[in-house]
Amino acid sequence: MPVITYREALRAAMAEELDRDPNVVIMGEEVGQFHGAYKVTEGLLAKYGPRRIVDTPISEAGFIGMGIGGAMLGLRPVMELMFFSFYSVAFDQIFNNAANIRYMSGGLINCPIVIRGPANGGTNVGATHSHTPESIAAYHPGIKVVVPSTPYDAKGLLKSAIRDNDPVMFMENTLLYGESGEVPDGEYLVPLGSAKVMREGGDISIIGHGRAIQMALKSADLLKEKHNLNAEIIDLRSIRPLDVETVLASVRKTSRVLLVEEAKPFCSVSAMLACIIQEKAFDYLDAPIRRVTSVDAPAIYSAPLEKEQLPTPQKIFDAALAVLK
Amino acid sequence: MTKKSPATKNTEATARDARQAPINAKLGADEKIQFYRDMVRIRRFEERCLRSYQQGKIGGFLHLYIGQESVAVGCCSVMGDNDHLITAYRDHGHALGVGMGMNELMAENFGKYTGCSKGKGGSMHYFDPSRHYWGGHGIVGGQVPLGVGLAYGLKYKGIKGACLTFMGDGAVNQGAVHESYNLAALMDLPVVFIIENNGYSMGTSQELSSAGASLAGRAEGYGMNWAIVENGYDVYAVRDQVSAALKLAHDQSKPSVLEIRTYRYRGHSVADPDSTYRDKTEIEEYKRTKDPIIYYQTALLAEGVLTEDIIKKIDESARAEVETSAQFAEHSPYPTMEDVKKDVYWEVDNPQDKKSTGCLFFD
Ligand SMILES: Cc1ncc(C[n+]2csc(CCOP(=O)(O)OP(=O)(O)O)c2C)c(N)n1
Ligand SMILES: [Mg+2]
C-alpha cells in the first residue's frame, strides 16, 4: 500500500471531493497562492482554479460566517483555519449560526460545512495559538467533531465530513502533518462516529484521541516490554458522534480504564467519557478511572515546560501502572 | 504625507519637510543620535534573535521587525509620560522603543524565567505595564479593542494621555478593528490607530486582501481623522505625523488613524520561506533606497550630527549589548513545573487576599 503523510492524505481527500462534487469549495487564509500555512492545500489552486480555491482576508468571523451562509444554500465549503485556535474569532458564527440554524428553522435548513485546521499544543507558540477545543465544540448539539490521528483516518474521515450534511469541526495536528502511514489509492470512507481499536490487549483500556493516541501506543510498547502488560488502545477518531459501544466493549473486557487527551482536564472529552463509563459499565470496573490530560493552565511558551505540560508517553505509562496497581 | 479627506480636518502637519516640523526642529544632537542608536539596537537585536532561532535556542514563531525600525522608534520617541502603547506579535521594536531591556526580551524568546513574561508568553507576547507597554498580542486584530479600552480608561480617569494602537495591513480586515473604530469615534476616545503597512500579511499582498482605495481612508466612514505617512522609513516623518495625532488625542480627545508605509525585509516569521509571493529585487530595491537606518544615517551625516566614528561606536556597542543579552538568556534558568500554574489567577498568587473558596485547578 502507498505510504503518504497525514498532510498529503488531507490534500488527497479534498482533491477527490473537489472532483466528485462541484459544490465543494476550499476557503481560508493563504490556502491558494501561498499553498496553505502548513501546505495542506498545496497545488489545489493550480489544479482547481480561484473559483473553487479561495483566499480570504484575515476575517475569521466574516469568512466562516460566509461559508455557513453558502452551506445553507447547498455549497459544501471546506474552511481552513490557519490555526484552529482562531475559531474563537468566529465563535458566534459557528456556535450560534452553524450549530443552531437547523434547529431554529425546524429542520428547514441544514449546514454542510467543514471547518478544519490544526488544534494542538506542543509547538512553542504560546497560549493564544495552542487551544484544543474538542470539548468546547462538542458541547454544542448540532456540531460534529472529528479528530484523526493517522493519515488513513485523516483522509477517510475528511471525505466523510465533507459529504456530511451537518457542520463538522475537523481538528488536525501540526505535529502529525509530517507523519507517514499507509493509505490505499482511491476511494474509501471512514464513517464519523466509529472508534478504532489500534492495539488489542486484555489488561487495561487506554482511550483517547489525536496525538495522545500516538503517545499511548508508545506507552503500550513500554508496558509490554517492562511489565508484560497488554494495553488495549482505542482511538475515538470522532468525538461527536461518539462510538460509545466500542468504548464500553473494551471496558467490559479489561475492567481498567485510562483516558488520555491533550486538552485541559475541566469539562473535557475524557471527563465526559468517565461519566459515560461509570454510568454504563460501573460493575465492570476494578479500579477508579484515571486520566492523563494537559496540566491545567494556559499553554506555556517555554519549550521544555510546554513538553511537560502536555501528556507524554512516560506520563501515560505511569498512570497506566497506577490504574493497574 | 498625503492628506485626503476634506471632511476630516487632519493634523497641522502637511507636506512640509518633516525635518523642519517643530517636533523635529527642536531636537538636539544627542536626541537625534539616540533615535539612530535605537534603530541600530533593534536591528542588531533582531539579527541576533534570528541567529539564536537558527541555533535552536528560540522556538515557535519569531516575527522580525527588520526594515520597520523607524516606525517603532519614531512613534515611541514622541510618546509622553501618560501615553500608552499596544501592538501585535511583531513586537520587538516597540518593546525596545519604550525602553525595555534586551536581556529580558532575549530571555523571553529563549523561554527563560528571567524573561519579561517569565518565559510564559514568548516573542509574540512581551509586556511591560510599568512602561505603558501592553503587549505583544498573537491574535491578529485582537489587541485593537484593548487599545480602545486603554484610551477609555485614561479618559475615564481624567488622565491626559493616549494609546498608540498598532496593527498590520492584514489586521484591518478583522471585524474587531471596525468595531473599535466606531467605539473610539463615537465616544471621542484618545486613541491613535497606527497601521504599519508593510505591504504584506504573510504571503498576501495588501491589494489582494483589502478592498477600497485606502486602508487609513476607512476612518472616514467613522468620521475620524486619518493620514498616510508615505515615507515611513523616515523617522522624522513618523515623529511629525504621530505627534500631531497624539496632540489631537490629548487636546481634543479625538481618535485618528495613521497608516505608515513601511517594509519588512524578512519572511513573515522566521519559518516562512518568503520565496513565493514577492520578488527578491523588490526587497533589494527597498533596502537600497529606503532603508530606515541608512536613510537616517545619511541625513544625520549631512546634518553634521553623526560622524563615521560615532556610527562605528554605536554599532559596536549595540553588538556588544545583544551579545550580552544572548549570554544572559543562555545562562538563565527555565521556569519550573510549579511556575506553570502560577500567574493564572490573581487570588492564587495572592493567597493573603483570597476571598473565594472551592477548587480552581483540576487534574
Ligand atoms: C485571528 C488570527 N488569524 C490569523 C492569524 C495568523 N496570522 C498571523 S500574522 C498574520 C498576517 C498578519 O499580517 P499584518 O496584519 O499585515 O501584520 P504583519 O505580519 O505584516 O506585521 C496571520 C494571517 C492570527 N495570528 N490570528
Ligand atoms: Mg503586514
Side-chain angles (χ1 to χ4, degrees):
Chain A
M1 219 191 289
V3 170
I4 64 173
T5 62
Y6 186 99
R7 174 188 285 112
E8 289 163 339
L10 292 166
R11 190 185 303 143
M14 283 188 270
E16 287 177 20
E17 295 308 299
L18 281 160
D19 284 334
R20 203 184 64 88
D21 182 349
N23 283 322
V24 173
V25 292
I26 311 288
M27 279 189 200
E29 292 159 20
E30 311 282 350
V31 296
Q33 298 204 4
F34 197 67
H35 303 298
Y38 289 97
K39 305 299 164 218
V40 175
T41 53
E42 187 157 33
L44 295 183
L45 176 64
K47 181 147 182 234
Y48 298 97
R51 182 168 168 266
R52 305 192 68 195
I53 312 297
V54 184
D55 278 318
T56 65
I58 310 170
S59 312
E60 284 83 1
F63 77 75
I64 294 285
M66 182 174 113
I68 294 167
M72 287 158 59
L73 203 75
L75 302 187
R76 293 189 175 268
V78 181
M79 316 295 294
E80 176 171 300
L81 287 168
M82 190 179 287
F83 277 71
F84 220 99
S85 288
F86 309 152
Y87 83 109
S88 53
V89 178
F91 206 94
D92 177 61
Q93 293 301 325
I94 300 169
F95 296 114
N96 263 327
N97 290 343
N100 294 340
I101 193 73
R102 179 163 180 76
Y103 193 73
M104 294 191 305
S105 68
L108 294 176
I109 300 172
N110 68 307
C111 185
I113 191 173
V114 175
I115 300 172
R116 52 156 290 272
N120 58 284
T123 58
N124 219 203
V125 290
T128 55
H129 284 57
S130 303
H131 292 284
T132 43
E134 301 92 301
S135 66
I136 294 172
Y139 172 83
H140 295 82
I143 297 286
K144 293 174 175 169
V145 180
V146 174
V147 188
S149 79
T150 65
Y152 179 89
D153 289 341
K155 181 173 174 190
L157 285 168
L158 184 52
K159 284 168 65 82
S160 294
I162 295 171
R163 296 184 198 185
D164 202 277
N165 285 331
D166 292 313
V168 180
M169 295 177 80
F170 193 92
M171 302 190 189
E172 304 159 8
N173 191 311
T174 49
L175 295 172
L176 296 178
Y177 281 147
E179 296 293 310
S180 300
E182 290 191 338
V183 174
D185 276 330
E187 173 81 15
Y188 71 94
L189 295 171
V190 175
L192 308 191
S194 79
K196 182 167 170 181
V197 181
M198 303 291 280
R199 175 182 175 130
E200 292 196 43
D203 294 321
I204 181 171
S205 304
I206 305 182
I207 305 165
H209 63 276
R211 196 167 72 96
I213 281 301
Q214 300 300 333
M215 295 180 183
L217 288 169
K218 290 197 185 111
S219 342
D221 287 341
L222 281 181
L223 287 166
K224 180 73 191 164
E225 201 179 295
K226 298 213 166 138
H227 299 280
N228 197 29
L229 289 166
N230 294 306
E232 179 145 296
I233 309 290
I234 311 271
D235 182 356
L236 297 170
R237 301 199 288 191
S238 162
I239 306 302
R240 187 169 186 151
L242 183 68
D243 186 353
V244 175
E245 259 327 298
T246 298
V247 169
L248 293 179
S250 181
V251 174
R252 288 188 206 109
K253 177 170 138 190
T254 66
S255 299
R256 293 181 189 261
V257 179
L258 175 64
L259 305 173
V260 296
E261 66 178 323
E262 196 182 309
K264 308 288 189 300
F266 195 86
C267 297
S268 69
V269 171
S270 61
M272 184 69 201
L273 272 178
C275 176
I276 294 172
I277 292 168
Q278 66 81 29
E279 243 171 46
K280 307 239 156 115
F282 185 76
D283 292 340
Y284 289 89
L285 290 175
D286 286 344
I289 300 168
R290 279 184 182 256
R291 300 192 292 161
V292 175
T293 66
S294 276
V295 173
D296 197 12
I300 194 167
Y301 162 75
S302 188
L305 278 296
E306 188 193 25
K307 277 205 187 70
E308 278 306 308
Q309 186 174 7
L310 291 163
T312 60
Q314 184 63 44
K315 286 188 204 178
I316 297 172
F317 173 80
D318 293 342
L321 288 182
V323 173
L324 285 158
K325 220 171 38 202
Chain B
M1 176 240 160
T2 351
K3 191 167 165 200
K4 290 277 160 69
S5 158
T8 53
K9 270 185 248 93
N10 202 341
T11 58
E12 295 300 287
T14 46
R16 69 179 159 227
D17 176 1
R19 193 181 353 150
Q20 308 304 334
I23 187 89
N24 295 322
K26 68 178 187 196
L27 290 170
D30 286 351
E31 284 169 297
K32 291 183 177 183
I33 292 174
Q34 186 58 40
F35 305 151
Y36 178 78
R37 181 180 296 116
D38 286 344
M39 287 200 276
V40 172
R41 288 175 64 242
I42 293 172
R43 183 153 311 176
R44 298 293 165 258
F45 181 77
E46 297 294 67
E47 289 164 350
R48 190 65 180 81
C49 287
L50 175 59
R51 195 138 62 83
S52 298
Y53 189 94
Q54 287 161 343
Q55 293 166 342
K57 305 282 184 191
I58 299 176
F61 284 138
L62 178 65
H63 306 92
L64 298 177
Y65 198 64
I66 298 178
Q68 304 185 204
E69 296 90 344
S70 47
V71 180
V73 170
C75 290
C76 294
S77 72
V78 293
M79 283 170 71
D81 288 347
N82 292 324
D83 293 325
H84 294 245
L85 183 156
I86 190 165
T87 188
Y89 46 82
R90 199 177 298 285
D91 58 350
H92 302 179
H94 312 79
L96 288 167
V98 298
M100 291 177 75
M102 278 191 196
N103 282 3
E104 55 176 329
L105 301 183
M106 191 63 90
E108 187 60 33
N109 292 352
F110 277 53
K112 296 298 181 80
Y113 191 69
T114 51
C116 56
S117 304
K118 302 181 191 156
K120 293 184 169 182
S123 152
M124 299 196 285
H125 306 114
Y126 289 169
F127 295 92
D128 187 352
S130 76
R131 289 191 164 81
H132 296 180
Y133 180 87
W134 298 97
H137 293 267
I139 296 298
V140 169
Q143 76 282 7
V144 178
L146 303 185
V148 174
L150 290 159
Y152 175 82
L154 289 170
K155 187 175 180 185
Y156 184 86
K157 290 184 170 188
I159 296 168
K160 197 172 164 181
C163 185
L164 300 182
T165 302
F166 289 81
M167 70 194 97
D169 50 289
V172 299
N173 297 312
Q174 284 292 32
V177 172
H178 291 263
E179 295 176 25
S180 299
Y181 283 0
N182 185 51
L183 284 164
L186 187 69
M187 299 185 183
D188 286 329
L189 298 178
V191 53
V192 183
F193 298 103
I194 297 177
I195 303 166
E196 288 193 68
N197 185 351
N198 59 13
Y200 296 90
S201 51
M202 290 189 77
T204 305
S205 67
Q206 188 219 302
E207 297 73 47
L208 291 178
S209 57
S210 292
S214 147
L215 301 185
R218 292 177 179 184
E220 212 151 305
Y222 301 95
M224 268 191 293
N225 288 346
W226 60 281
I228 297 173
V229 185
E230 298 279 4
N231 47 343
Y233 52 85
D234 177 1
V235 74
Y236 285 144
V238 173
R239 282 171 50 80
D240 184 18
Q241 290 289 293
V242 178
S243 59
L246 275 173
K247 188 165 166 20
L248 186 71
H250 292 163
D251 295 351
Q252 299 176 49
S253 195
K254 289 277 187 205
S256 56
V257 178
L258 266 185
E259 175 183 340
I260 304 180
R261 297 268 163 84
T262 181
Y263 197 72
R264 70 164 154 75
Y265 294 180
R266 294 285 167 168
H268 166 71
S269 76
V270 171
D272 165 21
D274 190 26
S275 52
T276 52
Y277 56 88
R278 61 177 177 178
D279 222 334
K280 281 273 170 288
T281 55
E282 179 184 299
I283 309 174
E284 291 312 319
E285 180 64 14
Y286 195 96
K287 281 188 189 171
R288 203 172 56 74
T289 57
K290 296 175 178 169
D291 180 78
I293 295 179
I294 295 176
Y295 182 85
Y296 190 51
Q297 187 190 88
T298 309
L300 290 189
L301 282 168
E303 286 182 43
V305 169
L306 271 183
T307 62
E308 291 299 340
D309 191 43
I310 301 174
I311 291 171
K312 191 159 162 268
K313 286 212 174 90
I314 287 175
D315 197 53
E316 282 168 2
S317 89
R319 283 176 198 280
E321 189 185 0
V322 298
E323 206 40 51
T324 305
S325 76
Q327 293 308 320
F328 172 81
E330 176 73 32
H331 295 111
S332 290
Y334 284 109
T336 64
M337 268 324 271
E338 262 164 35
D339 296 319
V340 172
K341 282 191 184 172
K342 289 183 187 156
D343 306 314
V344 181
Y345 288 105
W346 185 88
E347 271 195 339
V348 175
D349 304 329
N350 298 277
Q352 70 285 1
D353 292 330
K354 186 165 166 18
K355 302 239 166 46
S356 74
T357 56
C359 201
L360 278 173
F361 288 102
F362 299 84
D363 293 326

